[in-house]
Amino acid sequence: MASHNDLVVVDRGENTSLTVHLYGATVISWKCRGEEILFVSQKSLFDNKKAIRGGIPVVFPCFGPWDLGPQHGFARISRWKVESTPQKNTAGDMVAIFSLEDSDKTRAMWDFKFKLIYTLTLKETAFQMDFKVENKDSKPFPFTCLLHTYLGTPDVTKSGVTGLNKLTYVDKVKGGEHQESRDVVTVAENYDRVYKSTPDEHSVSGCVGGKTVVVKKTNFPDTVVWNPWKDKAAGMSDFGDDEYTNMICVEAGYVAKPFVLGAGKSFEASQLLTVI
């Protein structure tokens, strides 16, 4: 299990809280009125070496395999700083802010000066993530980024994702680009698809407790849907063989093509998850 020194708890009261692991600023728990909404593998290591398997890992500056460094970049395997401890805002919501800046280690892989600012706001039945990239360098840099959200499900085959019909997707399992033909996307196999130019809202039904989670996103133009399924799950050391039935990843990101951020400029995007 994670060490107490690695964790920041954001408690709103009424059994509603977030737990953030400073390794990757990974949200590893979101309890809404006592119900855990996120999935984290029971085999996740929490060793401050390997990315946490579940919750909401932050992907930056590269989504997927990366020639310059580890898959999905270094943000999810770096220790973040607490920029602002959890505090109540005027709306009665709890806000905590985390940051990551370039270091000798990051510049050895990716030679740019930057600062990431990750603001988490816990509402009564919703949770907002504001993601900001600041270019502190004298030259522009390209990046991709994504919030790798693992939602818990009692049975993934009974979960469905809306807002993807007629969209183009890249199938990372079977290859090629295709067009989605379903109003509600369901998963019953090894599934890894990058949907391009998606709408700003999706609904994910069949989540824990029979709930639906509504995903609203801003300036994240793409949506990834992922589940490793049985054979791939069995080959993952930090993922239980049968846990694939209890999760679905619906991931808001800027990944179909890189964003190029000018010197001294900033990029902002956000995701709001609401339980209904």
Side-chain angles (χ1 to χ4, degrees), residues 18 34 52 96 117 133 138 145 149 157 160 227 240 249:
L18 300 173
I52 294 168
I117 302 171
V133 183
S138 58
C145 61
T149 307
T157 64
N227 184 291
C249 284

Side-chain angles (χ1 to χ4, degrees), residues 129-195:
M129 292 135 275
D130 293 301
F131 181 71
K132 184 177 184 181
V133 183
E134 295 180 347
N135 184 341
K136 299 288 190 181
D137 218 308
S138 58
K139 54 187 180 290
F141 59 66
F143 68 89
T144 49
C145 61
L146 172 137
L147 299 177
H148 201 305
T149 307
Y150 289 73
L151 296 172
T153 66
D155 179 355
V156 69
T157 64
K158 295 179 180 175
S159 294
V161 185
T162 65
L164 300 171
N165 194 19
K166 297 181 181 177
L167 297 182
T168 298
Y169 65 86
V170 177
D171 191 327
K172 296 177 74 176
V173 176
K174 299 175 182 177
E177 286 199 356
H178 311 271
Q179 187 177 70
E180 183 58 69
S181 60
R182 296 169 292 174
D183 286 330
V184 179
V185 167
T186 55
V187 173
E189 61 183 335
N190 181 7
Y191 201 98
D192 191 358
R193 298 183 182 180
V194 180
Y195 291 87

Side-chain angles (χ1 to χ4, degrees), residues 34 76 90 189 272:
R76 67 181 188 149
T90 54
E189 61 183 335
L272 174 68

Side-chain angles (χ1 to χ4, degrees), residues 102-117:
D102 60 278
S103 64
D104 291 345
K105 187 175 180 180
T106 68
R107 288 191 300 272
M109 292 180 267
W110 194 66
D111 193 18
F112 297 104
K113 297 176 182 177
F114 69 90
K115 183 174 184 179
L116 306 182
I117 302 171

Side-chain angles (χ1 to χ4, degrees), residues 42-116:
Q42 293 183 1
K43 289 194 169 184
S44 190
L45 298 176
F46 299 109
D47 61 357
N48 291 308
K49 295 177 183 177
K50 188 175 176 65
I52 294 168
R53 178 65 69 188
I56 309 179
V58 177
V59 172
F60 176 92
C62 182
F63 170 72
W66 190 28
D67 291 342
L68 302 178
Q71 172 156 310
H72 289 334
F74 50 67
R76 67 181 188 149
I77 54 170
S78 297
R79 190 168 183 90
W80 289 53
K81 173 186 172 185
V82 179
E83 193 87 3
S84 175
T85 56
Q87 297 179 35
K88 186 177 289 188
N89 66 12
T90 54
D93 301 325
M94 295 298 294
V95 181
I97 305 173
F98 303 86
S99 65
L100 179 68
E101 296 185 71
D102 60 278
S103 64
D104 291 345
K105 187 175 180 180
T106 68
R107 288 191 300 272
M109 292 180 267
W110 194 66
D111 193 18
F112 297 104
K113 297 176 182 177
F114 69 90
K115 183 174 184 179
L116 306 182

